[in-house]
Amino acid sequence: MDFSSYECIEFQREGRILTIALNRPAQRNAVNARLHHELSRVFTDAQRDPDSDIVVLTGNGSAFCAGGDIDWMQLSVDEPSEFERTAREAKDIVYTQLDLEKPLICKLNGHATGLGASLALLSDIVVMAAEARIGDPHVSVGLVAGDGGALIWPQLVGYAKARKYLLTGELMTAAEAERIGLVTDVVPRAELDAHVAALAQRLAAGATKAIRWSKVTTNLPLRQLFHSYFDAGVAYECLSNGTADHAEAVRAFRERRPPVFTGR
């Protein structure tokens, strides 16, 4: 498979293991328009790649993914039609990630927030660095967690825990994420690469068809859930993109001050 058209995602191979790395390290892998577009097709390309059986998803640099890029958020505030394209791509990202038949291991090397958290949690196995934090702070910037968080968090940790973190936007430690069952394993950052490599190699050496089809079967209810309700989450996020509170949050971020929300 030729991945040369990608600008914001880097690819590496080791045997039958394909590593997909978000590659905007200076921006903490925050998602801009280009990266968002590439994410909307990368899992399809990974599925079609004939030279891999296992996929690892990670981020280059100190962070996994810091959510949405603030300049891109400003563009969507100024030009709401930009968010319509984003909404279509958001569905492509989630549906193709869930449709990927190859086992997907998230090597959560650093902080994961917003869309970054959704990308991690929609993976099959999440191995998190002990020093990292994770959360979905959409509400902190006046947005609905419509790009996956509102659906996947309750499936992993139950509604009581999910609502607390989704409605406050609070980030949690790796230890807490493991304790409540949000992620699979937590290891020290210095051991993360070796731990994930050993796990990926174990899967690659296994009965790959049986492993793949077990994953597909396990994901059937999750795929049904997202196909039933994800459009509503995206629609509510589109609505929230046009609110005064979201515009204020983006402005406050640029001005390095706390936002003053008015409920409008």
Side-chain angles (χ1 to χ4, degrees):
M1 191 79 193
D2 183 9
F3 295 108
S4 61
S5 64
Y6 286 83
E7 297 177 4
C8 298
I9 299 178
E10 184 178 81
F11 301 86
Q12 294 181 347
R13 294 186 187 276
E14 184 174 350
R16 301 287 298 176
I17 300 165
L18 174 69
T19 295
I20 297 171
L22 309 184
N23 192 33
R24 300 186 74 224
Q27 295 79 29
R28 299 175 62 79
N29 297 319
V31 179
N32 62 0
R34 178 68 193 187
L35 179 52
H36 199 262
H37 174 68
E38 292 182 0
L39 285 168
S40 74
R41 60 189 178 94
V42 71
F43 298 112
T44 298
D45 285 346
Q47 175 64 36
R48 293 172 177 169
D49 176 39
D51 299 316
S52 62
D53 293 313
I54 311 298
V55 181
V56 174
L57 177 65
T58 192
N60 286 338
S62 62
F64 174 71
C65 177
D69 181 270
I70 197 67
D71 291 333
W72 187 39
M73 287 188 193
Q74 185 66 63
L75 177 61
S76 295
V77 170
D78 297 338
E79 300 178 24
S81 61
E82 172 71 11
F83 207 91
E84 294 177 15
R85 183 182 64 79
T86 300
R88 176 61 259 179
E89 287 183 352
K91 292 193 286 186
D92 292 337
I93 292 170
V94 167
Y95 292 151
T96 58
Q97 188 173 0
L98 289 175
D99 285 344
L100 176 64
E101 294 185 354
K102 301 172 184 180
L104 178 62
I105 303 170
C106 179
K107 182 166 67 174
L108 199 57
N109 57 297
H111 289 7
T113 58
L115 177 56
S118 295
L119 289 169
L121 299 180
L122 287 167
S123 302
D124 303 310
I125 298 172
V126 184
V127 184
M128 186 174 182
E131 299 83 351
R133 295 171 72 88
I134 188 170
D136 197 327
H138 271 77
V139 294
S140 302
V141 291
L143 288 176
V144 171
D147 59 10
L151 292 180
I152 191 59
W153 281 67
Q155 299 305 306
L156 296 173
V157 300
Y159 281 93
K161 288 290 187 182
R163 281 190 289 247
K164 173 192 173 183
Y165 286 103
L166 291 171
L167 300 184
T168 64
E170 180 182 337
L171 304 187
M172 74 178 74
T173 63
E176 177 67 2
E178 184 180 33
R179 186 188 73 81
I180 67 175
L182 189 69
V183 301
T184 311
D185 293 314
V186 171
V187 298
R189 178 65 185 86
E191 300 173 14
L192 183 66
D193 290 347
H195 185 98
V196 171
L199 176 59
Q201 289 164 5
R202 176 180 179 181
L203 293 176
T208 54
K209 287 186 177 180
I211 291 170
R212 180 180 301 191
W213 294 335
S214 292
K215 173 218 167 126
V216 170
T217 305
T218 303
N219 269 3
L220 286 174
L222 195 58
R223 291 169 63 195
Q224 182 180 38
L225 174 76
F226 271 80
H227 280 282
S228 296
Y229 301 110
F230 190 57
D231 277 356
V234 172
Y236 276 119
E237 187 167 356
C238 282
L239 284 176
S240 63
N241 180 68
T243 63
D245 277 348
H246 176 54
E248 159 63 9
V250 173
R251 187 165 51 249
F253 186 91
R254 289 180 172 280
E255 296 172 0
R256 301 180 182 276
R257 61 172 175 81
V260 179
F261 294 130
T262 61
R264 291 183 294 171

